[in-house]
Amino acid sequence: RAGAQGADAGNPNSRTIELLQGMLDHNEQVNDQWRTMSYKKAIAALKRHPERVTTAEQARGIRGIGQNIGDKIEEIVRTDRLRKLEYVQNDPQFQVLQLFLKIYGVGIKQAQQWMAKGYTTLEDVRARAQLNAGQKVGLEHFDDLNTRIPRVEVAALGQFVMAAAAELDASIELIIGGSYRRGSRSSGDIDFIVTKKGTSSTDPLVPFLHALVEKLYAEGFLTATLSSLAAEVKQGHGSKWHGCCVLPADSPAAQHMREHDAGWKPVWRRIDFLLVPDAELGAAMIYFTGDDIFNRSLRLLADKKGMRLNQRGLYRDVLRGPKRVKMTEGELVEGHDEKRIFEILGVKWREPHERWC
Ligand code: DCP
Ligand code: MG
Ligand code: MN
């Protein structure tokens, strides 16, 4: 995770960011949402800060960094360590929890249940736990699915999918969103938006995605379904597909990867498709480009202005009852045009690579 977004060795605060990221992971895992947020904000602020931050006082002067994290920054710079982080990381319970959470489909509750049963290794889970279908895939392909995807490979996977899509229906457009669109040098998965000019619902896209999935399975590209369109339709959504894929070893795309890196081997990757009608493309692009913190801040801003932003559009005159519970959907202001949504919200346009807070 650390370094995913640009906190590389070239960043003057890279070591500080690395250790604060450890604290972020810890707080995320113990479900401390408030501290998780504080660390996310502080890390984001440091990533954007052009100079090395060495004292608590200096740190506190940066928007998004408070007293507590400021002190930790100073400790890191002075000692190259963070005692609190070492303390939590040394806890065997923490290490087991961390391990279990790396299995796809396993959340904090499930991990804690297994720990309560005394499981401490992946072997224990394999031998004794009742796994659902997704978790089975997660465990069987644990190493693959915990390896980040280099940007060149995301591009190769993207081309493979787009070639198949073009053969089926050239009028349908696929866009790679997520961390790739933000310019990350590596991604956790590959995220596709699937859309078509002139559409106002996902209905015309559903048969296409069915056909695409079938074709990509037949080509040996798709390897597992984690959340199918059919299951989604049952729940009344029907707009996304989640699964796993791999570049077939004998494909030109794999050949291209080997030319780029002689030691390259096919690895199972996570892949997501999101169906989006043209009318909602702008809002969906904002949502699916992220990052999640940026999305949250835009939504908050919309709320403050009496509007509402979700992955389908920007709405106004949203009627809210007690505790700000939404009573009506409101009137759609803009859904199609990404730039217009920024404009109406009154925020300066941010290129995708600038969308991490
Ligand atoms: N998203 C969000 N809130 C979430 C999950 C996702 O707003 N809880 C949005 C923002 C993400 C996008 O969906 O950028 C894609 O989700 P991913 O989980 O694939 O995240 P990224 O692509 O940003 O990062 P990664 O490289 O880990 O896949
Ligand atoms: Mg992603
Ligand atoms: Mn994704």
Side-chain angles (χ1 to χ4, degrees):
R1 286 271 301 280
Q5 195 56 257
D8 55 315
N11 184 305
N13 296 297
S14 59
R15 174 65 178 163
T16 305
I17 291 169
E18 182 189 340
L19 296 189
L20 293 182
Q21 180 72 45
M23 288 302 299
L24 167 59
D25 291 345
H26 162 69
N27 283 299
E28 222 164 23
Q29 284 164 14
V30 297
N31 245 344
D32 188 332
Q33 289 171 11
W34 189 82
R35 283 201 175 80
T36 297
M37 210 37 157
S38 304
Y39 277 101
K40 279 191 179 176
K41 281 186 189 151
I43 289 168
L46 270 186
K47 281 182 178 173
R48 275 178 295 157
H49 200 74
E51 283 128 37
R52 187 165 146 87
V53 179
T54 58
T55 67
E57 200 191 340
Q58 201 187 343
R60 279 201 314 275
I62 300 170
R63 228 183 96 142
I65 302 181
Q67 171 83 56
N68 183 14
I69 295 180
D71 289 344
K72 290 194 169 60
I73 291 174
E74 182 165 324
E75 181 189 339
I76 294 168
V77 172
R78 272 195 293 118
T79 65
D80 197 40
R81 299 167 50 183
L82 186 56
R83 283 160 306 169
K84 172 76 184 174
L85 181 62
E86 286 172 13
Y87 177 78
V88 297
Q89 287 183 337
N90 273 329
D91 178 3
Q93 296 283 96
F94 172 84
Q95 290 168 10
V96 173
L97 188 70
Q98 175 132 318
L99 177 71
F100 289 171
L101 287 173
K102 283 163 83 179
I103 305 171
Y104 174 85
V106 175
I108 204 106
K109 262 197 180 148
Q110 177 71 86
Q112 280 166 348
Q113 274 174 20
W114 288 342
M115 287 172 69
K117 287 183 173 168
Y119 306 172
T120 59
T121 64
L122 295 182
E123 294 314 315
D124 292 340
V125 173
R126 194 166 290 138
R128 295 160 64 192
Q130 289 276 346
L131 300 172
N132 65 34
Q135 293 166 343
K136 273 184 194 149
V137 173
L139 191 57
E140 273 167 33
H141 300 276
F142 182 84
D143 291 334
D144 276 14
L145 298 179
N146 281 292
T147 309
R148 291 189 65 83
I149 319 173
R151 189 170 179 84
V152 273
E153 187 174 333
V154 179
L157 294 162
Q159 275 175 16
F160 194 101
V161 171
M162 287 181 194
E167 279 177 40
L168 287 174
D169 184 343
S171 75
I172 285 179
E173 194 187 346
L174 278 82
I175 303 158
I176 309 177
S179 50
Y180 182 83
R181 186 167 185 246
R182 296 197 308 275
S184 295
R185 280 159 302 143
S186 69
S187 294
D189 68 356
I190 179 165
D191 301 295
F192 285 98
I193 282 183
V194 179
T195 188
K196 182 185 161 100
K197 286 252 147 41
T199 48
S200 56
S201 94
T202 57
D203 292 351
L205 299 167
V206 169
F208 167 81
L209 189 59
H210 277 298
L212 181 64
V213 165
E214 195 176 335
K215 183 173 166 65
L216 290 172
Y217 260 113
E219 291 176 353
F221 177 86
L222 289 182
T223 52
T225 300
L226 295 168
S227 156
S228 73
L229 205 54
E232 283 273 308
V233 171
K234 256 190 213 156
Q235 293 167 25
H237 309 295
S239 65
K240 62 179 201 233
W241 189 95
H242 291 177
C244 297
C245 66
V246 66
L247 284 178
D250 55 1
S251 63
Q255 182 58 35
H256 173 82
M257 288 305 300
R258 281 188 292 266
E259 276 159 23
H260 180 86
D261 166 10
W264 183 86
K265 291 266 179 322
V267 173
W268 277 38
R269 305 303 196 182
R270 279 271 300 104
I271 180 169
D272 292 338
F273 291 102
L274 184 68
L275 297 184
V276 176
D278 195 34
E280 299 170 6
L281 185 58
M285 288 284 272
I286 289 175
Y287 170 75
F288 222 38
T289 298
D291 65 8
D292 50 348
I293 307 296
F294 178 75
N295 287 350
R296 207 172 325 190
S297 67
L298 269 194
R299 283 175 187 207
L300 216 61
L301 183 72
D303 276 359
K304 277 189 195 140
K305 301 199 165 183
M307 293 185 272
R308 182 176 133 85
L309 178 67
N310 62 25
Q311 75 184 79
R312 308 188 55 188
L314 179 65
Y315 301 82
R316 80 169 151 236
D317 300 331
V318 181
L319 209 61
R320 286 184 195 275
K323 293 187 180 166
R324 298 186 54 77
V325 176
K326 186 176 56 102
M327 316 261 295
T328 64
E329 194 62 79
E331 178 200 348
L332 176 68
V333 184
E334 181 62 57
H336 170 75
D337 191 326
E338 195 177 9
K339 287 195 168 147
R340 278 289 293 155
I341 293 174
F342 277 75
E343 257 173 51
I344 297 164
L345 282 173
V347 282
K348 196 176 125 284
W349 168 252
R350 300 249 298 256
E351 292 295 339
H353 69 269
E354 297 168 326
R355 299 196 199 161
W356 38 288
C357 293

